[in-house]
Amino acid sequence: MRINHFPTTVAAAHAVADRIAERLKAKPNLVLGLATGVTMEPVYERLVARHRAGEVSFAGASSFNLDEYVGLPPSDPRSYRATMDSQLFDLVDIDKTRTFVPDGLAADPAAFARRYEAMIREAGGIDLQLLGIGRNGHIGFNEPGADFAARTRVVDLEASTLEANSAFFGGATPPTQAMTMGIGTILDSREIIVLATGAVKRDAVRAALTGPITLDCPATALRNHPNVGWWLDAESGADVVG
Ligand code: F6R
């Protein structure tokens, strides 16, 4: 486990973007695992800027997003598919037919989830998984109590997650279920980057890095992975050394 400290949110996010760009240069057909949320916005902004400057290409890459709200069509601007399109995919040279996001409208979610897992395997597995962390320690939408071996499936979201994400819904409650990669799916990635920024993440970061490994804090599962880097700003990382 490597812990990288940065003085500001922007510095941490930009360093993550630069790491992704480096990986894309080394392996143009990189398989990316991607996350959404406030934390990732400056990462994608930096990647778009570097793409526009001719410094990074996604032409050979493919991507699998962690999660999607159940019940939101891709055309809904609050869906994670629409968010990824507007923040990254439509602004860079990635082949959109190789960008995958769980289907929040799947008629048979269990069958879709099995297919999503199979597609990741057929792509050769995820080379680089980008993760945020929830205030309750969730990764993807694996809420406290999730099995560390869980695969892609539909889950219920906790009240704290709904509250944190209500900002994207004009203060209204978001859909209460999501389809998410499981912790087992995430741990299969060859490299994991966790980006956590802001004082609101400090408790979750401390629990994830220094507390007991427990289902109560899903991010503690990452301590079982051989290649995880944490990228923290001064506020999120104030309680951890490394
Ligand atoms: C999003 C995801 C979540 C977020 C987490 C932090 O795809 O999987 O785990 O990374 O909820 O969200 P923000 O960045 O909005 O604080």
Side-chain angles (χ1 to χ4, degrees):
M1 187 106 70
R2 297 173 308 280
I3 303 177
N4 306 299
H5 290 276
F6 296 87
T8 65
T9 303
V10 167
H14 284 191
V16 166
D18 291 347
R19 169 61 66 96
I20 295 170
E22 218 174 83
R23 288 285 187 273
L24 278 164
K25 215 167 271 178
K27 187 179 181 195
N29 63 345
L30 199 72
V31 180
L32 284 161
L34 296 176
T36 48
V38 178
T39 313
M40 299 305 152
E41 288 173 8
V43 176
Y44 297 144
E45 273 168 26
R46 167 82 157 192
L47 283 169
V48 169
R50 292 202 57 186
H51 169 70
R52 289 189 172 144
E55 295 168 359
V56 57
S57 170
F58 293 79
S62 46
S63 67
F64 290 88
N65 263 79
L66 283 164
D67 37 29
E68 179 62 282
Y69 288 112
V70 168
L72 288 193
S75 57
D76 188 311
R78 301 162 305 181
S79 72
Y80 286 163
R81 158 54 75 182
T83 302
M84 288 307 304
D85 285 351
S86 65
Q87 290 182 3
L88 185 69
F89 299 151
D90 286 341
L91 308 176
V92 297
D93 59 348
I94 199 162
D95 175 351
K96 276 182 74 180
T97 65
R98 290 202 306 265
T99 65
F100 304 99
V101 180
D103 180 358
L105 293 185
D108 183 343
F112 179 88
R114 279 194 300 277
R115 212 158 58 241
Y116 202 65
E117 292 276 340
M119 284 179 345
I120 294 172
R121 279 196 304 276
E122 282 156 21
I126 291 172
D127 291 308
L128 179 58
Q129 176 68 56
L130 181 58
L131 291 180
I133 185 171
R135 297 169 197 198
N136 61 1
H138 74 212
I139 49 174
F141 273 143
N142 295 280
E143 301 283 36
D147 196 297
F148 285 1
R151 313 303 304 191
T152 303
R153 70 209 181 289
V154 169
V155 297
D156 294 329
L157 299 176
E158 276 203 346
S160 70
T161 299
L162 296 173
E163 194 204 317
N165 291 0
S166 65
F168 293 101
F169 289 79
T173 305
T176 57
Q177 289 191 311
M179 190 183 296
T180 182
M181 280 187 202
I183 297 176
T185 322
I186 291 168
L187 293 178
D188 283 347
S189 313
R190 283 184 270 279
E191 178 181 358
I192 297 174
I193 290 180
V194 194
L195 174 62
T197 53
V200 76
K201 300 294 172 65
R202 183 185 289 182
D203 290 348
V205 168
R206 183 180 50 233
L209 289 170
T210 68
I213 296 181
T214 164
L215 302 191
D216 294 339
C217 180
T220 58
L222 300 171
R223 305 227 299 265
N224 297 329
H225 190 282
N227 190 8
V228 179
W230 286 76
W231 305 66
L232 308 173
D233 69 1
E235 290 186 328
S236 68
D239 295 339
V240 293
V241 288

